[in-house]
Amino acid sequence: NGDQAREVVAGDNGLLRGMAAGSAIIMSATIHPAETREIGAAAQAAGVEYIDTPVSGGKSGAESGTLTMMAAARAEVLEANRPVLEAVGEQIFHVSEEIGVGQTVKAALQAFIGASFAGIFESLVLGAKAGVPGETLYEVFSASGAGSALFRNCAKLIMDREFVGTGSHIGTMYKDLSISMALGKDTGVPLFTTAAAFELFRAGMSKFPNEDNWSIVKLLEDIADTEVTW
């Protein structure tokens, strides 16, 4: 979160105490845009370059070097550090030279992903309760206009009943959605669907604080008295 990132960079024992002028900090944590602007300003005041680049792709993307990166930095700083980003990122988007825009893009993306998760959970529970085999739901949904890597990964983990250790902890998504909701408040944008997803993740945090995103489906299964399996 923002407090942790601030401590790592600008705290009493933070990176800025030992970094040479002209070196660079790459901030890939997902934090509030205002927080990354504050940290970036502290870095720049110390003569250190700063790249605001949250990522998407999760644990598997990091391990395989296929993350999507939303980089906000001066163009020459980004290019100088591109080999480092390419070590973990496959798609590196230069979204702006203004620090904070990277986090803003990520907040909008997480609203989309959070709402998508909520729709996946509900649709699978609906089909299961109505008596449709999970395999049928998986095959048809995957082949439809809604089919995506996001759906396939999420649905498979649910049907395999893998809710722990998959690299997508529920607390991370809950934190990310709180940033999306805050951005909506700051900009005056109503986020009806994102708000519903946020509350669903809040409920999941209360019930399954040590599990992963997919565990939320168990809340809906309990209400509907069903289980999504193959």
Side-chain angles (χ1 to χ4, degrees):
N1 60 37
D3 290 339
Q4 294 166 327
R6 188 182 296 108
E7 182 65 22
V8 167
V9 174
D12 292 341
N13 296 303
L15 295 173
L16 293 180
R17 293 181 63 85
M19 294 185 68
S23 54
I25 290 172
I26 300 171
M27 178 61 67
S28 62
T30 297
I31 58 179
H32 288 268
E35 291 172 327
T36 205
R37 286 193 292 268
E38 177 190 338
I39 298 168
Q44 290 165 347
V48 174
E49 303 291 356
Y50 187 84
I51 301 175
D52 164 36
T53 180
V55 303
S56 182
K59 179 174 180 286
S60 62
E63 291 175 341
S64 62
T66 58
L67 291 173
T68 296
M69 310 187 79
M70 297 144 256
R74 293 191 296 116
E76 57 268 32
V77 174
L78 176 61
E79 290 310 310
N81 291 276
R82 183 174 289 275
V84 180
L85 302 183
E86 289 177 341
V88 293
E90 182 175 55
Q91 299 189 81
I92 301 168
F93 293 95
H94 187 201
V95 297
S96 178
E97 294 209 345
E98 179 185 345
I99 301 301
V101 176
Q103 300 295 343
T104 302
V105 173
K106 179 64 183 289
L109 174 61
Q110 291 305 84
F112 178 32
I113 292 177
S116 298
F117 278 149
I120 291 169
F121 300 152
E122 290 186 352
S123 63
L124 291 176
V125 171
L126 177 64
K129 180 63 176 182
V132 181
E135 183 176 4
T136 300
L137 297 172
Y138 183 89
E139 290 178 349
V140 174
F141 289 10
S142 293
S144 75
S148 65
L150 179 73
F151 167 75
R152 289 188 292 273
N153 180 62
C154 178
K156 183 178 186 303
L157 289 168
I158 288 172
M159 293 183 196
D160 287 344
R161 313 308 288 178
E162 293 187 21
F163 300 121
V164 178
T166 67
S168 296
H169 192 276
I170 191 172
T172 302
M173 192 66 194
Y174 176 70
K175 180 259 297 183
D176 290 358
L177 286 173
S178 74
I179 295 172
S180 302
M181 294 298 297
L183 182 63
K185 181 179 180 180
D186 291 344
T187 57
V189 175
L191 299 174
F192 300 108
T193 309
T194 306
F198 177 64
E199 292 302 329
L200 192 58
F201 272 82
R202 190 200 301 270
M205 277 286 292
S206 297
K207 187 72 172 177
F208 310 109
N210 298 314
E211 298 190 17
D212 294 346
N213 292 332
W214 345 112
S215 64
I216 291 176
V217 79
K218 293 187 286 186
L219 288 171
L220 303 177
E221 289 174 336
D222 185 57
I223 294 170
D225 189 25
T226 191
E227 185 173 288
V228 181
T229 60
W230 294 104

